[in-house]
Amino acid sequence: MRKKKVWIAGCTVFLLLVICTVLSLRIEKMMRIEVETVRAVQCEEEGMTDMVKIPLSCYKQEENGSFVLFFAEEREGLFGKEWVVQKEESDPLMEEGNMSLVPKSSVFDDQLRPRKIVNYSTWPLEDDDVVVIAGEE
Amino acid sequence: MKRERKRKGIERLIVWIAAAVMTAGLVVMNFLISEGIKNEAESLPEGVLLQLKEPLETAEIEAAKIQGYRIKNVGAGEHGREIYEVRGEKERAVLIGKVTDFTRDLFGRPIEGKSMNLSAHRSIALQMGRLAWLAAAIPLSMMLLVLSIRKLGALQEKNWLQGLQGVAIIAVWMAAVYYLTGRLNIPREFLPREQILDISFYIDTVKEFFAGDGWANQSTYQAIRLCYKDGALVYGMWIICAWLGTVLIRIIAGIENRGKGENISRG
């Protein structure tokens, strides 16, 4: 009788672990933060071909007062490609209306493609957060 | 003995028929309820409601049109603020972080204010039926899990058939839960930042919404509130019927099994 009780207790624990594992797949997907991204726009003024414009709203202020940009990078996850945000410190150097002028090198990747910069997010972001880009689900 | 077995078979059949009738009744009830609530939810607008400290100029509204946003003044809010409904051109949800950032991007100047994501509320209102199904299945799920664990316990006595039945019940239950949860699309702002089981977050969110601070006189807010109240009332009653029916069937089946057990011990 005791043996059966131990067996049942073991089955219960195993079953709870299996349920939590299966549900965690769903929960992980539901908890991804939705973001909107923008890409830098080329400066059209003469002599500013090395500069690009990004919205000022892309700059997020940290607790210590510094400003950061969040870049959405695609990477290979356990179940296929996923988007992850990378935080980089960056201060708005030159402001023009609601845009900031930044060097091209800071917002373009090694293949000279414009990187996706997070503009809005449903929750404040942290480095390495897995996100979902609005409109690309 | 033969007559006894026949009687038991008939009783078991009655329990199954009662369960089938109850399930069919609940499905039909849910279908009828869903049509009404779905129509109410589909009449809710998409977009975002903005309550701004400073009113917008006509030129700013026109400039926003060029950027693909339609803006409509929907009346005055509290403390002399103006309320605007903002909709994206492509009718997808307008994602908004800080109101000052959004207004700076759209109108060229940061304006303090509050926002309410109408698309998110519409999405939740349309999914109340699916959430109701998940809630209604709770007592049945618990009973099935207890039954399956008992059947798995029979494996220890080398009763392979019962063990297999236990595994089959768990597999079917898990597939059903995975399917139902996969059909949910809860807007991220209605889930906590870190922990999905942060109950205080859900309680505070509901309290804050129904307090309607600053939105109380606004007709869209009232429409959403009414939709939620109607859904909660109607689906709440449906869930209670489902729970009571499940418990009743279980009691009847339990009485029938106890009777079987008494006869076996007497025999």
Side-chain angles (χ1 to χ4, degrees):
Chain A
M1 193 61 183
R2 202 176 180 181
K3 219 173 166 182
K4 188 170 183 181
K5 281 186 181 173
V6 168
W7 174 261
I8 287 175
C11 285
T12 308
V13 168
F14 177 71
L15 186 61
L16 287 172
L17 284 171
V18 169
I19 290 169
C20 289
T21 306
V22 169
L23 286 180
S24 69
L25 296 173
R26 281 281 181 242
I27 291 169
E28 192 269 336
K29 209 172 175 187
M30 281 162 71
M31 294 296 275
R32 290 183 183 182
I33 296 172
E34 199 177 4
V35 300
E36 244 188 47
T37 57
V38 291
R39 291 191 205 263
V41 171
Q42 182 65 51
C43 251
E44 283 155 6
E45 287 88 346
E46 255 185 70
M48 293 188 109
T49 48
D50 281 344
M51 302 294 278
V52 289
K53 294 185 198 176
I54 61 173
L56 277 171
S57 53
C58 292
Y59 289 93
K60 312 293 173 198
Q61 193 166 25
E62 298 271 272
E63 280 171 11
N64 58 10
S66 62
F67 288 93
V68 295
L69 290 173
F70 285 95
F71 294 93
E73 313 280 349
E74 204 170 20
R75 75 168 183 203
E76 199 63 43
L78 269 176
F79 303 103
K81 289 201 182 329
E82 58 189 18
W83 289 97
V84 173
V85 290
Q86 300 293 327
K87 186 167 75 172
E88 287 178 20
E89 276 202 21
S90 178
D91 285 324
L93 299 168
M94 283 183 278
E95 290 178 28
E96 199 179 88
N98 65 337
M99 303 291 268
S100 170
L101 291 160
V102 296
K104 213 175 193 175
S105 55
S106 63
V107 293
F108 274 63
D109 62 16
D110 299 331
Q111 280 88 41
L112 297 175
R113 287 177 307 205
R115 298 163 77 188
K116 289 191 174 199
I117 311 167
V118 174
N119 198 355
Y120 304 125
S121 60
T122 45
W123 285 103
L125 293 170
E126 286 167 18
D127 203 13
D128 282 334
D129 272 343
V130 180
V131 298
V132 165
I133 297 181
E136 283 189 24
E137 289 132 48
Chain B
M1 191 67 178
K2 230 183 179 177
R3 216 182 285 171
E4 193 63 36
R5 232 180 279 152
K6 201 177 179 183
R7 190 177 69 81
K8 291 294 168 205
I10 291 169
E11 280 172 5
R12 209 173 295 146
L13 187 65
I14 290 171
V15 171
W16 276 107
I17 289 172
V21 167
M22 185 200 82
T23 309
L26 286 170
V27 167
V28 168
M29 261 175 77
N30 185 285
F31 176 76
L32 294 170
I33 291 165
S34 297
E35 286 302 302
I37 300 293
K38 198 176 158 192
N39 288 337
E40 208 176 333
E42 278 176 348
S43 69
L44 298 175
E46 295 263 16
V48 168
L49 269 186
L50 283 180
Q51 192 177 132
L52 302 175
K53 267 186 178 169
E54 299 161 28
L56 295 174
E57 309 283 328
T58 313
E60 287 170 333
I61 294 174
E62 291 301 315
K65 254 193 210 163
I66 296 166
Q67 292 184 66
Y69 291 95
R70 283 176 281 149
I71 298 175
K72 193 169 79 174
N73 187 324
V74 290
E78 294 176 0
H79 313 298
R81 297 180 181 197
E82 291 293 317
I83 300 181
Y84 300 90
E85 194 178 283
V86 179
R87 295 174 83 151
E89 207 172 48
K90 291 170 190 171
E91 290 300 338
R92 69 168 180 80
V94 173
L95 197 62
I96 191 165
K98 273 186 179 172
V99 173
T100 43
D101 284 344
F102 186 74
T103 51
R104 181 170 40 202
D105 279 350
L106 208 51
F107 311 119
R109 59 183 173 113
I111 310 172
E112 294 271 345
K114 289 203 287 193
S115 66
M116 181 189 296
N117 193 332
L118 298 175
S119 300
H121 284 288
R122 188 175 189 269
S123 174
I124 278 282
L126 284 169
Q127 290 179 82
M128 281 196 284
R130 290 175 200 165
L131 290 166
W133 272 109
L134 278 171
I138 291 172
L140 179 65
S141 299
M142 283 163 56
M143 286 176 204
L144 282 176
L145 287 175
V146 167
L147 177 68
S148 61
I149 288 170
R150 279 207 200 121
K151 286 195 180 281
L152 282 175
L155 275 174
Q156 198 265 329
E157 290 155 358
K158 294 193 180 18
N159 190 337
W160 308 117
L161 182 65
Q162 291 239 352
L164 269 174
Q165 284 174 353
V167 170
I169 292 169
I170 291 164
V172 167
W173 177 83
M174 204 103 69
V177 166
Y178 196 74
Y179 169 75
L180 280 172
T181 50
R183 294 197 67 206
L184 288 178
N185 186 16
I186 299 176
R188 187 63 179 86
E189 46 260 79
F190 294 141
L191 296 171
R193 170 65 178 87
E194 300 289 348
Q195 258 292 358
I196 199 165
L197 296 176
D198 185 357
I199 307 294
S200 59
F201 170 84
Y202 297 115
I203 294 171
D204 290 341
T205 304
V206 170
K207 268 189 192 166
E208 218 177 279
F209 177 78
F210 282 98
D213 182 32
W215 304 104
N217 300 325
Q218 214 289 313
S219 60
T220 309
Y221 164 79
Q222 291 295 342
I224 296 170
R225 199 180 145 125
L226 186 66
C227 186
Y228 283 149
K229 277 190 168 170
D230 289 345
L233 186 68
V234 159
Y235 281 122
M237 283 168 56
W238 179 79
I239 289 166
I240 289 169
C241 288
W243 285 5
L244 286 174
T246 310
V247 169
L248 195 65
I249 299 290
R250 179 70 189 93
I251 290 170
I252 295 170
I255 292 168
E256 188 261 335
N257 280 336
R258 215 176 301 138
K260 195 165 52 168
E262 277 172 9
N263 281 335
I264 288 167
S265 65
R266 250 188 259 140

